[in-house]
Amino acid sequence: MNNTKINLEQFDFNQFQEETIKKLKSGQPLTGKDGVLTPLIKQLLEVALDGEMDAHIADCKDDGQPNRRNGKTKKTVKTGTGSFELETPRDREGTFEPEIVKKRQTVLNESLDNKILSLYAISMSYESITEHLQEMYGLEISPAKISQITDKLLPVITEWRSRPLDAVYPIVFLDAMHFKVREEGKVVSKAIYSILGINKDGRKEIIGIYLSESEGARFWLGVLNDLRTRGVDDILIASIDGLKGFPEAIAEVYPRAEIQLCVVHQIRNSLKYVVSKDQKSFMLDLRQVYQAPNRDAAEQHLLELGEKWGKKYPAVIKSWHVNWETLSQYFKYPEELRRIVYTTNIIEGFHRQVRKYTKSKGAFVSENALMKLIYCACQKIMEKWNQPMHNWALIASQLQIYFDGRLKLELR
């Protein structure tokens, strides 16, 4: 390492400082393409590599293995301050393994991959990332290379999607969102099944993301079985939309779970079959049903709704009666808990946030591209979920009473 010290001492920092100031005054940038720092980084790296080679040769002699230098190789490397041609020393035996710049390393800035992933996470296209890195840092990185970097997410995503989960989730919300993906020369629709859980601490977390061609109760059955294999033994309340067969799929895997059908979905579906001139009056009467103080009052208002509107809209009234058992579960709970479980708005809000990251994509080039961006969006969104649900201490104590023995909270 002595040569390293001698070479560094020979470097005239005063002269470099004067030249740097002149270049900056003339308009040459400090960083980026043709930045004035680039020659300094090149020289310091080559000095360090020479020092590593000297140490390696010395070690070989100490081990009784004669070795010597054998010229240098050149390669273009990229850093956050520009690209340059780096000369790396070689040894005759080919045993030199440099540490500061490894043999096949062409990007020196360790944070570059993270920078690319961060840009990708905010839904920038590969082409836009390429232009950004060229403009800001003078780095020419192809869209194909950026794709390779973002592919590093795939094993991380696999691990995240299969991570162990809590044994009990007091509340889960299950829903699907749909995207377009290019597949074998055509654009097809894919469903992303997402499960948002409220854990025992009252914090939201995405406990499952699954991909399928369409939303269906059969696929949901596989999703729920996967949750069980990952450690979820019990779900107290499952809030879902009106997908046919969904309650049966949940009951198959979690027979003790109470299923709450989304009241907001039911209202939307009802209004589809009510003519516009009747919708305002119909909603005033329907509001008496779902905003009733208790289930008995709600059922009385539902009968009154049927008497007034049943002849004109029999299918709508029938739908409320058919689904009433799963629509009315929330009436048994106090107001704080009702507001959370009577609708799937929480997970729909999550989906709206995801679409802020995906809205610029007309169709994804592959399923992997879709999953990478969904994963990045999830991580960004969950960063903000750092507080428990409002009034969770009160809600948790009520859940302990309603689900005696199934929810064991640690008292701190």
Side-chain angles (χ1 to χ4, degrees), residues 36-241:
V36 297
L37 288 182
T38 301
L40 174 61
I41 294 173
K42 168 181 166 64
Q43 182 163 357
L44 291 177
L45 285 176
E46 290 179 348
V47 168
L49 287 168
D50 281 333
E52 285 192 61
M53 175 60 80
D54 289 341
H56 177 68
I57 297 297
D59 289 341
C60 289
K61 289 180 180 179
D62 291 342
D63 294 338
Q65 300 174 352
N67 197 359
R68 60 185 176 86
R69 288 174 174 265
N70 188 32
K72 295 185 177 183
T73 58
K74 296 180 179 180
K75 64 179 178 180
T76 300
V77 295
K78 302 168 184 177
T79 76
T81 58
S83 302
F84 57 85
E85 193 172 74
L86 181 72
E87 293 187 347
T88 302
R90 295 182 303 182
D91 64 324
R92 189 172 184 82
E93 300 299 324
T95 56
F96 177 51
E97 295 286 346
E99 291 295 326
I100 191 167
V101 183
K102 299 185 183 299
K103 278 188 175 180
R104 285 169 288 278
Q105 184 180 356
T106 58
V107 177
L108 302 184
N109 188 350
E110 294 182 358
S111 66
L112 183 61
D113 283 7
N114 291 333
K115 190 181 297 295
I116 289 173
L117 293 176
S118 296
L119 294 172
Y120 183 75
I122 59 174
S123 73
M124 285 185 69
S125 66
Y126 291 163
E127 291 76 14
S128 297
I129 294 173
T130 298
E131 293 173 2
H132 177 80
L133 294 175
Q134 172 65 33
E135 180 180 348
M136 296 298 296
Y137 306 104
L139 301 180
E140 296 182 1
I141 300 181
S142 68
K145 178 64 176 176
I146 292 172
S147 179
Q148 290 177 5
I149 292 172
T150 59
D151 279 347
K152 293 180 179 181
L153 288 171
L154 295 176
V156 176
I157 294 171
T158 299
E159 181 179 358
W160 179 73
R161 292 174 65 195
S162 58
R163 72 193 188 281
L165 299 172
D166 293 349
V168 179
Y169 282 89
I171 309 170
V172 297
F173 300 87
L174 306 94
D175 202 2
M177 46 187 166
H178 301 269
F179 298 92
K180 299 295 183 182
V181 177
R182 299 187 185 279
E183 192 175 81
E184 298 179 354
K186 58 183 180 180
V187 176
V188 298
S189 180
K190 297 285 184 178
I192 290 286
Y193 295 73
S194 53
I195 305 177
L196 189 157
I198 309 295
N199 64 25
K200 291 193 296 184
D201 295 327
R203 299 180 188 276
K204 295 184 291 185
E205 61 175 289
I206 299 302
I207 60 177
I209 292 289
Y210 302 86
L211 179 66
S212 179
E213 291 185 359
S214 61
E215 185 179 9
R218 181 179 298 178
F219 189 82
W220 270 119
L221 183 61
V223 167
L224 293 162
N225 279 319
D226 181 66
L227 290 185
R228 182 170 283 283
T229 62
R230 291 168 59 198
V232 182
D233 295 327
D234 196 8
I235 292 172
L236 305 187
I237 303 172
S239 181
I240 63 173
D241 64 12

